[in-house]
Amino acid sequence: MTVIHTLGLPRMGAGRELKWALEDYWQGRRGADELLAVARELRARHWAMQAQAGCALVTVGDFSLYDHVLDMSARLGVVPERFGWSGGEVDLDTYFRMARGRAPSGTPAFACEMTKWFDTNYHYLVPELAPGQRFELARHDLFAQVDEAHALGYAVKVAMVGPLTWLWLAKAQGDFDRLDLLDASLPVYGRILERLAGQGVAWVQLDEPILALDLPAAWRAAFEPAYHVLRNSGARILLASYFGALGDNLMNAARLPVAGLHVDAIGAPEELPQVADWLPAGRVLSVGCVDGRNVWRADLDAALDRLAPIHARLGERLWLAPSCSLLHVPLDVTLEDGLDPEIKPWLAFTRQKLDELAVLARGLTQGRDAVADELAQCRAALAARRASPRVTDPAVRARLAAIRPEDAVRAAPYARRALVQRQRLGLPPFPTTTIGSFPQTADIRAARRAFKVGHIDRAEYEATMRAEIRHAVDIQERLGLDVLVHGEAERNDMVEHFGEQMQGYAFTAHGWVQSYGSRCVKPPILYGDVARPAPMTVAWITYAQSLTQKPMKGMLTGPITLLKWSFVRDDQPWRDTALQIALALRDEIRDLEAAGIGVIQVDEPAFREAMPLRARQRTGYLAWAVQAFRLATGGVADATQIHTHMCYSEFNDIIAAIAELDADVITIETARSNMELLEVFAGFDYPNEIGPGVYDIHSPNVPAVDAMVRLLQKAAARIPAERLWVNPDCGLKTRAWTETEAALANMVEAARRLRATIGA
């Protein structure tokens, strides 16, 4: 029988049990034993799901209490000095201080930098490497998890981040080449593999997704000697690449001294025959043949057509898996009782994807007749989706075809617009603002739940939200912020909220996906052509503006983020969908402007994340991504100030494209990286205004005034003072009001000190 397995499963649980357990632990409402008991129960449940689907090996090591890259850093003993670790086991609270800056015990410290895991909306904690970095086996949780699985009777495959990828994702804190540390890290990897082999683990999956990147020659050359060292550990290594084509790394990957190779046949189906050709005799080839990143049902006939010749050559050496970890998709579509019944059969979540693998394995080994019923059901669902009149809207298609180049251009250049905007807004130097959201309190969430289930009517719900908006405005007025926001009390999520008001989106009740730590999002399902039937934000923003004489920002999510943070339709180019969304937002922006709103923010945190991993594909993406943003914002008057916001990605290499967006003001995450982004301004004169974030909102720590002043002084050395804004890194919805008020008060004071310095 063909082996099926998974590279990893979602961690949170059907009811987000891990989220609640983590947050209770951080707040002191649960102890460590209770948190770890929840984790054990979830692991057992997920192993059972794999076994029931027919997986010959259950995957251990994909589960994490926060992040799998952080797990690897802790196992290797790579703990920055500021966390006070003196060797030995990296305990739970040291681990959480690295992630969040604070834990129930220990001294708070500056959290590790967080950024995007390749081109996904999952965030990992960036390893920090010191000169002369030492490595030691410093966390033993993985071995305990293997014992748990064995005690439950499962055969095990362990998954963890491979040594080259872990180093690639790290940052050197000093002037040295992090690749020079590879040899020092390998003995600890070897000890881990040897101990796993001693526990009876037959296979270890080492994830090396950097093989989908354009690698420097030195990094590509480092793979073979590194894996020669690791091959002697006693465990069979399955090297896993995913998130796209191997490309120029294909021959190198196929020839590595490992027992098996996993490849992404969803991102690069054309490479599969070539990989099979280059794979040495006796090696296992694991084929990622169902999509681990999207929710559409697989075309099982097409998959069997692709797999059959490979199976004929390899027989039982062909394994089947999702393209990547299923961390990026929801758990089970059968939980969705309220999902549109026409759309539901088109979808496959984690549990259904495992079932699809089982059908493919039976089809290959027993023949298509053995799975005739499943194949017929699949064909019917795919045909129904293609034929549905809800997928295509002729009016939207006609509007898309009528786009003109001048639609994506502001009437005047920034320098002329800035003069008009300054006269209209009357802002001081170093104007202060926030990114948009304020704390989503228990009362707000309770009101939203009550409205959804019909316990309160719309009038009562809207009155409650207006009271929350009034509260947010009052606090900002009292603190002395210059450009205010309404706080987004009425919004469940920055993507879902807009999708619910636009044609072409479907929604789940339980489709949660981890974004970072305990933070989960529920991506909408973008299945059809997009249009905006009615204004979405105008009433809320104009109400907030009526409460203050200060400028009130209209808050929108941009076209690339509305695209990328949804499960995107796979039946047309992303560009077409992005431009449809941009046209819908263009209508909303015009309505906000007509209502007297003079500052409008169009957030694009996914702009960098959506960029292809390979350089040769980036020019095309950046062209249509910039076009989509400018199409959305291009129709406003010179006096209307357009802001955008970006966070938790690396932006230095695309700063020219960001400038091409021609937003009047960009606010951008820089605090966790200690203003690292500013290095790019030594060689690039950013033309418009910018607000480099001065404090990290993902940590509960309240930033000191002096620390923010130092960051602003660094920024002022690179950016002309008249173009510099003061703001947090990101929105504040996940924070509590007490810490939010304290942090913003300090931020306002930091801006005042800079104004005084300039005056002097």
Side-chain angles (χ1 to χ4, degrees), residues 430 652 670 674-690 692 710-724 754:
F430 300 102
N652 294 44
T670 54
N674 196 31
M675 293 281 174
E676 182 182 277
L677 175 74
L678 298 176
E679 295 172 8
V680 76
F681 296 117
F684 183 84
D685 183 16
Y686 186 78
N688 300 9
E689 297 168 46
I690 186 166
R710 285 194 296 272
L711 289 176
L712 286 166
Q713 287 170 337
K714 289 182 69 172
R718 294 289 193 193
I719 300 165
E722 68 272 14
R723 291 197 263 129
L724 194 61
L754 244 66

Side-chain angles (χ1 to χ4, degrees), residues 121 293-296 328-330 339 343 347 349 492-513 521-528 530 557 561-569 577 581:
N121 188 29
R293 297 182 57 175
N294 213 333
V295 294
W296 303 108
H328 309 289
V329 295
L339 186 59
I343 295 169
L347 306 176
F349 294 176
N492 50 3
D493 175 81
M494 66 181 292
V495 175
E496 190 173 23
H497 176 76
F498 289 96
E500 286 175 339
Q501 300 181 77
M502 290 197 282
Q503 164 192 304
Y505 282 89
F507 305 91
T508 64
H510 307 284
W512 297 102
V513 176
V521 294
K522 193 149 54 66
I525 297 165
L526 218 171
Y527 69 88
V530 178
T557 302
T561 303
L562 285 171
L563 174 88
K564 185 65 172 62
W565 288 3
S566 301
F567 291 118
V568 186
R569 58 189 297 185
T577 305
I581 298 170

Side-chain angles (χ1 to χ4, degrees), residues 350-567:
T350 290
R351 187 182 292 273
Q352 290 70 45
K353 290 178 186 295
L354 296 178
D355 292 340
E356 288 178 331
L357 292 174
V359 172
L360 292 172
R362 287 170 51 214
L364 289 173
T365 56
Q366 300 176 28
R368 296 196 189 205
D369 288 346
V371 291
D373 290 345
E374 291 90 339
L375 294 178
Q377 291 170 10
C378 178
R379 292 183 202 115
L382 296 176
R385 181 183 170 202
R386 286 191 295 268
S388 174
R390 299 172 62 186
V391 171
T392 304
D393 185 327
V396 173
R397 298 294 174 104
R399 191 179 181 194
L400 190 65
I403 293 173
R404 305 167 301 168
E406 56 265 33
D407 293 334
V409 179
R410 296 286 294 273
Y414 161 76
R416 283 169 47 194
R417 300 195 309 261
L419 296 175
V420 179
Q421 291 164 15
R422 286 169 189 159
Q423 183 176 11
R424 177 182 184 179
L425 299 174
L427 299 173
F430 300 102
T432 56
T433 190
T434 64
I435 303 308
S437 60
F438 277 133
Q440 287 270 317
T441 64
D443 288 344
I444 290 173
R445 293 194 297 269
R448 185 176 296 123
R449 285 193 300 270
F451 175 56
K452 276 190 171 183
V453 300
H455 292 166
I456 61 175
D457 61 17
R458 178 172 293 278
E460 185 176 352
Y461 169 73
E462 292 184 352
T464 301
M465 295 302 105
R466 284 194 295 272
E468 294 288 348
I469 291 169
R470 191 181 312 113
H471 175 65
V473 172
D474 288 346
I475 288 175
Q476 293 172 85
E477 291 269 23
R478 175 166 49 79
L479 292 172
L481 286 150
D482 300 307
V483 175
L484 310 191
V485 298
H486 79 297
E488 304 181 12
E490 83 289 358
R491 302 185 186 184
N492 50 3
D493 175 81
M494 66 181 292
V495 175
E496 190 173 23
H497 176 76
F498 289 96
E500 286 175 339
Q501 300 181 77
M502 290 197 282
Q503 164 192 304
Y505 282 89
F507 305 91
T508 64
H510 307 284
W512 297 102
V513 176
Q514 184 181 14
S515 180
Y516 63 87
S518 67
R519 167 77 170 140
C520 300
V521 294
K522 193 149 54 66
I525 297 165
L526 218 171
Y527 69 88
D529 288 341
V530 178
R532 183 203 72 148
M536 301 180 287
T537 67
V538 176
W540 296 108
I541 302 299
T542 53
Y543 170 71
Q545 183 66 83
S546 74
L547 302 173
T548 180
Q549 295 299 308
K550 292 186 174 182
M552 176 64 61
K553 277 197 287 191
M555 299 299 305
L556 302 173
T557 302
I560 303 306
T561 303
L562 285 171
L563 174 88
K564 185 65 172 62
W565 288 3
S566 301
F567 291 118

Side-chain angles (χ1 to χ4, degrees), residues 721-740:
E722 68 272 14
R723 291 197 263 129
L724 194 61
W725 286 63
V726 181
N727 46 265
D729 265 349
C730 198
L732 295 158
K733 68 181 293 183
T734 61
R735 304 270 53 93
W737 267 116
T738 301
E739 64 200 51
T740 294

Side-chain angles (χ1 to χ4, degrees), residues 410-422 424-425 427 431 589 593 598-602 629-630 633-634 636-645 658-667 686-691 719 722-725:
R410 296 286 294 273
Y414 161 76
R416 283 169 47 194
R417 300 195 309 261
L419 296 175
V420 179
Q421 291 164 15
R422 286 169 189 159
R424 177 182 184 179
L425 299 174
L427 299 173
I589 290 169
E593 186 179 47
V599 181
I600 301 171
Q601 182 169 309
V602 183
F629 183 89
R630 294 182 62 150
T633 59
V636 300
D638 293 348
T640 299
Q641 190 175 74
I642 295 294
H643 290 224
T644 191
H645 171 67
I658 292 173
E660 286 181 28
L661 297 176
D662 199 26
D664 298 299
V665 182
I666 179 173
T667 52
Y686 186 78
N688 300 9
E689 297 168 46
I690 186 166
I719 300 165
E722 68 272 14
R723 291 197 263 129
L724 194 61
W725 286 63

